[in-house]
Amino acid sequence: RYYHTLEHLRELLALSDAHALVIEERDALELAIWFHDVVYDARHGGGGKNERDSADALRRFAADAGGLDARLVDQVGAWIEATADHRAAPTAGADCRLFLDLDMMVLAREPAAYD
């Protein structure tokens, strides 16, 4: 699935710009976009491992960088882990749901775009 590229990130950022008026926590959404597929192992990353590893990469980055709000990091980590099945938790807010929808938009294209 070769669409996990910088182009995918550019598209997600552009889509988030297009929905800017409804986004409540822009920082959270952008962090989720940047980190959501930072770990992608097509052979050994199934069963949510890629998503957990990507969320862990965000947590390590936040710890190393310092200054990021722990609530924000926990929230974004949960959003990233939700990309394993693209099902938002019942308590998830609109930004999480938007993020998950934006990540799935590639599937609305012709199959050649994501096969």
Side-chain angles (χ1 to χ4, degrees):
R1 295 179 26 192
Y2 69 90
Y3 64 86
H4 292 103
T5 63
L6 288 176
E7 182 59 29
H8 178 56
L9 296 180
R10 277 191 286 275
E11 290 174 351
L12 290 177
L13 291 167
L15 287 166
S16 71
D17 286 344
H19 292 83
L21 294 177
V22 298
I23 296 170
E24 295 173 10
E25 294 186 70
R26 183 68 184 222
D27 291 345
L29 188 67
E30 288 187 3
L31 270 175
I33 289 170
W34 280 106
F35 278 91
H36 81 285
D37 283 323
V38 74
V39 176
Y40 190 80
D41 181 343
R43 290 183 180 226
H44 303 104
K49 185 175 184 333
N50 284 330
E51 294 79 9
R52 286 188 305 276
D53 290 350
S54 292
D56 287 343
L58 165 68
R59 292 179 185 110
R60 285 190 307 275
F61 170 81
D64 290 347
L68 286 175
D69 179 65
R71 183 202 59 82
L72 173 71
V73 174
D74 288 343
Q75 174 183 331
V76 173
W79 295 3
I80 291 168
E81 290 178 6
T83 64
D85 60 10
H86 288 86
R87 292 185 180 153
T91 58
D95 287 349
C96 175
R97 294 173 191 283
L98 176 62
F99 164 65
L100 294 173
D101 286 349
L102 295 179
D103 190 40
M104 295 293 289
M105 289 190 71
V106 68
L107 299 178
R109 296 184 178 167
E110 294 297 319
Y114 60 86
D115 271 343

